[in-house]
Structures are given as structure tokens and as C-alpha cells.
Amino acid sequence: MYTRSGQKFTARHRQVLHRNDVSEIYVQSSEKPQYEKYIEDNLGKILLDEDLPIEVRSKVFYEASTEVMQDVFDSKLPTSMRAAHFDRITEVVKNSIKFLASDSSLSAVAPFISHDYKTYTHCMHVFVYSVAMFHTYDMPDNEVFECGLGALLHDVGKARIPRRILNKRGSLTQGEREIIKEHSVHGISMCSHLPMSQNTINCILFHHEKLDGTGYPAGLKGDNIPMPVRVLSLSDIYDALVTDRPYAEAMQPYEALTLIRHEMRESVDMNVFKRFVSILSGADMV
């Protein structure tokens, strides 16, 4: 055994491990919940600790945040989101938005982004892309937080959509498409009792609106769609295209971006698109 139970891990312990070329340590499976709670409770401090390699911090960020989102979706959400779940998601956003402000953090997170579609990992990916984009605009910190929260929660309403429809292989019927279109309204309904700003509400409710007015649920058009929602919408489309879904194989990033540029010009903000491509290129993700 490396050390006695109850000892505090210090810098000296870390140095001894490195001197002995130990890069990973294990905890007993029975203690996994305590470990995960420690990481979640100290996520902000860990992510801003520049003594830790950015690759290590990126892995901690992705795994801890995904664990929170998986807990939320696996808890079989009732008609409304529990305040405890909302508080955990809020803390993830607070603790990670500064970390995602640079290209170096985005490129370090990239290897952990899965191409196997699950709603909770999709929400994480859209959050990562969106927050990286928000930081390139002249947005106050509180708006980055509010819109980041909306990005992480944007698909929470899918918890009310039957799994047989969400996971269906092959084409959806028109009726099934209409049911899926209800998820953005379900999301707002589930969160209506929670302290959310209008920015957060807009991101959840309007992320499927399109510039040409053909989106849902309100058919908003042009400048009536807030800029942060346009960013989130593009992030949502891109992640869906580069991820394996039940009805379509993942595209390569270049293929997905080409499709958006040529086939979605009327529905997606092309100025946002150019900025998005620049962000991905800067992080070596294209």
C-alpha cells in the first residue's frame, strides 16, 4: 500500500510518485463515490491550478462534468428538475467557464469528446463549444455564465421524450418528429420553478430556431433570435453531425462544416459560423 488510510495527499507525496514514474493511482471501487464528490466539490480549484498539466485538468473537467450530467439524466427526471440537480449543474458552469476561455484548454479537452451520442454527453459538448465561443464576444461574465448554463441544460427536456423515439434507428415518422420538437418547451416547463435568467431561458427554449424562420417552437426570424442562441444553435448542429447517432454515422469535422456552409446558409448565422471555424482551427479540431 502506498500510504495509510486517512493521510492527506501533499506535494511531497506527489513528488515521490513522480520520482518512481507512477503516473496513475487507484482507489477502491467502494470509495469511488467519495472520490467523485471530492472532485466535484473542488473542481474550480483544480481547473485553475496551473501546477497541474492542462491535459490532466481537462480530463478531470470532462469526466467530472459528464458524471454530473449523467446523474441528472439517469435519475429519471420527474415533471420538474430537482433543485439539487440544478445546483450541481450550476456549480459545474461556475467552475469551468474560466477554464474554457483559451484555445489551449479547448484543444486539451478535444481528445475526451466522445463521438458516441448520448444526450448528457451531447449537452456537455455543446456547452464546451458554446462557452469557448461566448468568450470571443464582448459578453459580461454574468451573461457568459447564464448562457453557458442554458447550453448545458438545452436538451434537458428530452428526458420527457420516450426512449423508443430518441433511440430509434432509421427515419422518424412525421408524428415522431413532432414529439421530439416538444423537448425545448418541456425543458422550460421542467425548470420553471428554478431561478433562471432570461438568457438561460432563451437558450433552452429557442436553440432550434433558424434565421429564415423555419425553426421551432416560435418560428423566430433574423435578429429576433438572440446572438447567444445563434452560437448555441450552431454548436448543437455541429456536435450532432460529428457524433454517431442511431440514424446516422458521424461525419468528419471538415465534412460537417462543409455541409453547414453549403446547405444551411439560410438558417445559420454565417458570421457566427466563421468565428466557430476559427475557434475549432485554433484548437486543432478541424
Side-chain angles (χ1 to χ4, degrees):
M1 299 297 288
Y2 171 66
T3 187
R4 295 189 305 276
S5 174
Q7 275 203 327
K8 184 175 181 180
F9 187 81
T10 65
R12 185 181 66 80
H13 289 97
R14 186 191 303 165
Q15 291 165 3
V16 170
L17 290 172
H18 283 304
R19 279 202 302 269
N20 288 280
D21 294 324
V22 176
S23 58
E24 290 183 312
I25 60 173
Y26 295 85
V27 296
Q28 292 187 7
S29 57
S30 61
E31 296 178 349
K32 184 170 181 270
Q34 295 101 297
Y35 165 76
E36 290 173 346
K37 185 176 188 309
Y38 174 85
I39 294 295
E40 188 177 331
D41 290 346
N42 293 275
L43 184 60
K45 185 164 56 175
I46 294 168
L47 295 183
L48 297 179
D49 183 357
E50 296 189 356
D51 289 336
L52 293 173
I54 193 165
E55 294 79 12
V56 172
R57 287 181 281 154
S58 295
K59 184 177 182 181
V60 169
F61 157 71
Y62 189 83
E63 291 181 349
S65 303
T66 302
E67 183 75 29
V68 171
M69 294 306 294
Q70 185 173 3
D71 281 352
V72 171
F73 279 94
D74 285 354
S75 66
K76 302 193 185 319
L77 291 170
T79 54
S80 61
M81 176 178 281
R82 297 189 184 100
H85 284 149
F86 181 73
D87 290 344
R88 292 177 71 196
I89 291 172
T90 297
E91 286 303 308
V92 166
V93 176
K94 282 181 182 176
N95 290 325
S96 58
I97 51 178
K98 284 185 179 178
F99 175 69
L100 294 171
S102 68
D103 286 347
S104 58
S105 62
L106 185 58
S107 59
V109 170
F112 303 106
I113 292 180
S114 167
H115 296 291
D116 180 22
Y117 186 92
K118 294 181 177 66
T119 302
Y120 59 87
T121 54
H122 171 67
C123 287
M124 266 296 302
H125 302 166
V126 171
F127 168 71
V128 169
Y129 295 134
S130 297
V131 170
M133 283 283 284
F134 294 152
H135 281 300
T136 70
Y137 288 90
D138 188 21
M139 289 174 63
D141 290 347
N142 67 303
E143 287 189 17
V144 174
F145 164 74
E146 292 166 0
C147 296
L149 181 60
L152 197 51
L153 287 171
H154 79 280
D155 267 352
V156 70
K158 285 186 177 176
R160 283 199 194 170
I161 305 299
R163 294 284 176 91
R164 62 178 175 78
I165 297 178
L166 283 179
N167 300 327
K168 181 179 177 180
R169 296 190 175 277
S171 300
L172 297 173
T173 66
Q174 184 59 38
E176 288 168 337
R177 288 194 192 93
E178 293 304 316
I179 290 172
I180 285 185
K181 283 183 177 181
E182 295 172 357
H183 77 272
S184 54
V185 176
H186 286 322
I188 289 299
S189 174
M190 292 169 66
C191 298
S192 61
H193 62 296
L194 298 170
M196 296 194 311
S197 71
Q198 190 61 50
N199 281 324
T200 304
I201 291 169
N202 287 345
C203 288
I204 298 172
L205 185 58
F206 297 134
H207 66 274
H208 282 290
E209 299 290 354
K210 299 179 181 180
L211 286 190
D212 59 6
T214 62
Y216 63 87
L220 298 182
K221 194 171 184 179
D223 290 341
N224 289 323
I225 303 173
M227 179 58 71
V229 175
R230 300 184 208 180
V231 170
L232 167 55
S233 175
L234 178 59
S235 301
D236 184 32
I237 292 168
Y238 175 77
D239 187 67
L241 292 175
V242 298
T243 305
D244 280 321
R245 292 163 289 166
Y247 52 88
E249 292 185 0
M251 292 182 176
Q252 292 299 313
Y254 179 78
E255 289 180 283
L257 293 172
T258 300
L259 176 69
I260 293 169
R261 183 172 69 245
H262 291 306
E263 298 188 22
M264 302 183 185
R265 297 187 65 86
E266 303 304 316
S267 59
V268 170
D269 187 322
M270 283 292 111
N271 290 322
V272 171
F273 174 78
K274 290 174 186 174
R275 191 175 294 222
F276 187 69
V277 172
S278 176
I279 289 287
L280 293 183
S281 299
D284 293 324
M285 295 178 73
V286 179

